[in-house]
Amino acid sequence: MTRCVRVVTENAAVDRAFDYEVSEALSMLHVGDRVRVDFNNRSLRGWVIAEVATTREMKPIKKWLGLGPPPEMLPLLEWASQRWCAPLSRFMLAASPGVVVRETPVAPRARALDAAVAAQAMQVSPGVVLVSPTHDPLALILHAYESTLEQPGSLLVLVPTEAWAQRLRGRLEQRGCAVAQGEGEWDRMRGTWPVIVGARGVALAPTPRVRAAVIVDADDEAYRSQSSPTWDATTMLVERCRRDAAPLWLTSVAPSPSLASLGPLLDGGDVSAGWPRTTVVDRREADPHDGVLTRPALEAAHRALAGDEPVAIVVILQRLGHGRLFACRRCGELARCAVCAQAEVERSDGLACVDDHEPRANFCRFCGATNLKKVRVGVSTLARDVRAQLSQPVDEVTAGTTGDLSARVVVGTEAAFGRVRRCAVVVFVDFDQYLLAPRESARRAALAAVAKAARLVGSRREGRGEVVVQTRRHDHVIDALESGDVSAVIEEDVATAQALGLPPYGARAEVSGEAAAQFAQNLTGSDVRVRHLGDCYVVTAPDVDILTRALRMTPRPSGRLRLEVF
């Protein structure tokens, strides 16, 4: 009987597998390997996903292109393609090397840690660990390494950025761990290196088996792919560890309802003392003649400039959500919807929230004044005003900024957190952009932003630096920042998710693109609801299986279509 295999090609438009014959010259071929095949008179790359038995005559495989994902990973990749409604080839590609790899190096044996190093390990059970922003995850990673030393497979460690992964790798290698990092060392990951460290892509590291995993800052938005397919590394690794029966540790400064549903939160030490010293400035009570930096912020900035930090001050302006914020010139209150409390934006005939709950004329609900002002400025305008207030040169930092920083004052978006390692003061000039962002994770994003700032200024225990938050409202997030206790925010978010059927107590997807309207119209199912919101359609269902089944069964119209399953 002729040997035949089943191949899925990289042509995402044809999401199905086809059978091909394997010649004797390609006897080295195994499941998971990459190949080149003739597909409809085109030469395409593909992956072998199974051996098949047949007596029919088939087209032969043209060429062997080296190793691909191990066979043990294929069920996981097939699950991922169903979970995020994407072609299997996209996940096969994500788990494959960028170059041809024909063999893997022999992995070193995982060695026990020295007694002095092992004593640094943080003894905590697998689960979701509530930590402070300045918590050092190394102790937890050492515990995960040492406690699973006798198990086969690799320890996966995910951190939000590759720069962080590079620093962590150096620290682990200093302590005697053999480490592979990211796509550049795909052959080592495929060869089951003892420790694999990296950012989002390491969730699909091609190691045949996961012996344990640690996800640092498991709620960080960097773990979610913004390009199609919009998969989530935390969800992926939770499923992967479940299949391999591997222990999993997840750390978070403010666990989302999805993380909180995984089990009781574990104590990561003195959490409140690990938050930074935070000064909250209510702009409703500030002098209206103050500039972009209020007097408390200016005082903190001058104290920082008197120090010797290379970068003394970081001023953050992050634009989230839609439209401009409006505030009353008389009382300083923000214009917010009376129904949903979202920020109201300008319409042709007045103000309304993005859902148009209660359109109204341009006036203040609190004092009745009609002289509302826009409180939105851009980074360049903010940099100009900060330069004038502090009489100091300023560097602007956005996602597209390159080059070294030379000034002691940095103004920009959250991209500044990736460019500055240490400073004395971080100022959020408009914190309401976080608090009033039109999404359910807005409050956690606000806490996460301050957590990133804490890594620059240090904790209140150290007393080295401080964070200044300028806002026009007061809620549980502000209370949490002042006290260092985020439990009230976590509990309220869980209660809200349960009441509204948000993940993980329901399933949600966003459909956008030129073909979104027709696709949404074709969606069927008694348990599926479709709502038009802004420039996309929101699809909800009781659980992920019902939602993804409805999305997969709906015919896709011609035109660009983007599906984002949460």
Side-chain angles (χ1 to χ4, degrees):
M1 182 180 295
T2 305
R3 183 187 177 195
C4 292
V5 294
R6 188 152 291 163
V7 175
V8 59
T9 70
E10 62 182 7
N11 186 355
V14 184
D15 188 23
R16 53 170 295 196
F18 298 87
D19 295 344
Y20 288 87
E21 181 181 316
V22 180
S23 65
E24 293 184 3
L26 298 180
S27 58
M28 79 293 290
L29 194 65
H30 294 93
V31 173
D33 288 357
R34 299 197 300 171
V35 294
R36 185 170 290 280
V37 297
D38 180 10
F39 180 78
N40 198 23
N41 297 321
R42 296 171 57 195
S43 180
L44 294 181
R45 293 179 300 179
W47 295 265
V48 177
I49 62 171
E51 297 267 358
V52 294
T54 182
T55 58
R56 294 183 298 163
E57 185 176 352
M58 301 290 178
K59 286 184 179 180
I61 288 178
K62 297 174 63 175
K63 189 176 182 180
W64 179 58
L65 297 180
L67 300 175
E72 294 86 350
M73 278 191 69
L74 295 187
L76 174 74
L77 300 180
E78 291 173 356
W79 169 85
S81 71
Q82 301 289 320
R83 169 63 174 78
W84 285 285
C85 297
L88 174 60
S89 60
R90 288 292 178 261
F91 288 100
M92 298 291 290
L93 184 63
S96 298
V99 297
V100 174
V101 177
R102 301 186 184 277
E103 60 182 2
T104 60
V106 178
R109 185 176 180 181
R111 298 188 305 168
L113 300 173
D114 293 338
V117 175
Q120 302 173 11
M122 174 184 177
Q123 305 291 328
V124 61
S125 302
V128 181
V129 185
L130 179 64
V131 297
S132 69
T134 53
H135 172 264
D136 186 355
L138 181 63
L140 178 59
I141 296 169
L142 292 176
H143 170 65
Y145 177 88
E146 185 76 6
S147 62
T148 60
L149 195 62
E150 302 302 323
Q151 301 298 320
S154 302
L155 167 65
L156 302 189
V157 181
L158 269 66
V159 291
T161 65
E162 287 294 347
W164 190 343
Q166 185 64 39
R167 296 191 296 269
L168 180 59
R169 175 182 184 169
R171 299 177 70 189
L172 289 172
E173 289 180 336
Q174 289 175 354
R175 289 160 176 79
C177 301
V179 182
Q181 181 187 349
E183 184 180 351
E185 297 182 351
W186 189 93
D187 56 342
R188 289 189 172 192
M189 295 191 293
R190 182 70 161 79
T192 318
W193 230 249
V195 182
I196 299 174
V197 174
R200 178 178 63 235
V202 166
L204 290 175
T207 180
R209 178 178 172 80
V210 176
R211 82 166 192 260
V214 178
I215 308 179
V216 179
D217 285 358
D219 279 317
D220 197 292
E221 293 183 352
Y223 290 131
R224 185 166 188 84
S225 172
Q226 298 304 312
S227 59
S228 185
T230 55
W231 63 283
D232 177 70
T234 299
T235 304
M236 180 77 76
L237 201 50
V238 168
E239 175 66 17
R240 191 171 185 181
C241 289
R242 185 192 68 80
R243 290 169 179 258
D244 287 348
L248 172 63
W249 289 263
L250 309 98
T251 71
S252 178
V253 297
S256 66
S258 295
L259 288 186
S261 67
L262 297 178
L265 299 183
L266 305 175
D267 186 7
D270 190 0
V271 175
S272 61
W275 282 84
R277 289 189 301 156
T278 304
T279 301
V280 178
V281 181
D282 192 335
R283 298 218 65 161
R284 294 171 297 184
E285 302 173 356
D287 189 330
H289 297 97
D290 284 349
V292 291
L293 299 182
T294 57
R295 292 182 184 180
L298 279 175
E299 293 170 359
H302 288 306
R303 288 195 300 269
L305 289 170
D308 56 358
E309 295 281 4
V311 175
I313 308 157
V314 174
V315 182
I316 299 297
L317 179 67
Q318 185 75 358
R319 289 300 171 206
L320 302 172
H322 303 283
R324 298 172 181 267
L325 292 183
F326 286 82
C328 178
R329 291 183 185 272
R330 178 187 295 175
C331 68
E333 287 286 351
L334 289 172
R336 291 190 288 152
C337 178
V339 176
C340 64
Q342 291 187 75
E344 292 177 308
V345 296
E346 194 173 24
R347 295 284 191 265
S348 59
D349 56 348
L351 301 175
C353 68
V354 294
D355 292 326
D356 285 323
H357 283 145
E358 193 177 272
R360 64 185 181 89
N362 192 327
F363 68 92
C364 176
R365 293 183 186 274
F366 295 87
C367 70
T370 58
N371 55 346
L372 300 185
K373 63 179 180 179
K374 297 175 181 177
V375 295
R376 174 174 181 173
V377 297
V379 170
S380 296
T381 303
L382 176 63
R384 180 201 65 193
D385 295 344
V386 170
R387 185 183 300 112
Q389 281 192 278
L390 297 179
S391 300
Q392 292 282 333
V394 170
D395 281 334
E396 295 181 35
V397 175
T398 61
T401 302
T402 58
D404 297 331
L405 302 179
S406 58
R408 299 190 69 204
V409 180
V410 174
V411 175
T413 63
E414 283 190 10
F417 292 140
R419 301 291 304 279
V420 179
R421 291 292 308 280
R422 183 184 174 100
C423 69
V425 172
V426 175
V427 180
F428 291 91
V429 295
D430 193 359
F431 203 62
D432 299 321
Q433 289 287 344
Y434 288 99
L435 299 177
L436 297 179
R439 52 179 180 170
E440 71 273 7
S441 61
R443 302 194 310 165
R444 294 193 304 276
L447 291 173
V450 177
K452 294 175 183 177
R455 290 161 186 160
L456 274 60
V457 303
S459 66
R460 62 185 64 182
R461 184 192 303 112
E462 301 172 66
R464 176 169 58 84
E466 64 179 307
V467 174
V468 179
V469 172
Q470 298 183 168
T471 180
R472 286 182 170 85
R473 61 174 305 182
H474 199 102
D475 63 6
H476 287 163
V477 174
I478 302 300
D479 293 336
L481 294 178
E482 291 179 326
S483 66
D485 183 5
V486 299
S487 58
V489 176
I490 297 172
E491 292 170 2
E492 189 169 334
D493 281 359
V494 170
T496 301
Q498 290 175 331
L500 300 181
L502 299 174
Y505 307 102
R508 182 170 65 90
E510 291 183 2
V511 184
S512 58
E514 59 186 25
Q518 184 176 350
F519 182 85
Q521 185 177 1
N522 295 336
L523 274 170
T524 58
S526 57
D527 293 328
V528 176
R529 297 178 58 193
V530 182
R531 182 166 59 101
H532 189 202
L533 181 62
D535 56 355
C536 70
Y537 291 84
V538 177
V539 186
T540 57
D543 60 55
V544 172
D545 291 338
I546 294 174
L547 176 65
T548 55
R549 188 183 307 115
L551 294 175
R552 291 195 307 269
M553 293 177 62
T554 302
R556 296 203 176 192
S558 59
R560 191 181 68 86
L561 185 70
R562 173 184 169 90
L563 296 179
E564 186 171 4
V565 183
F566 294 91

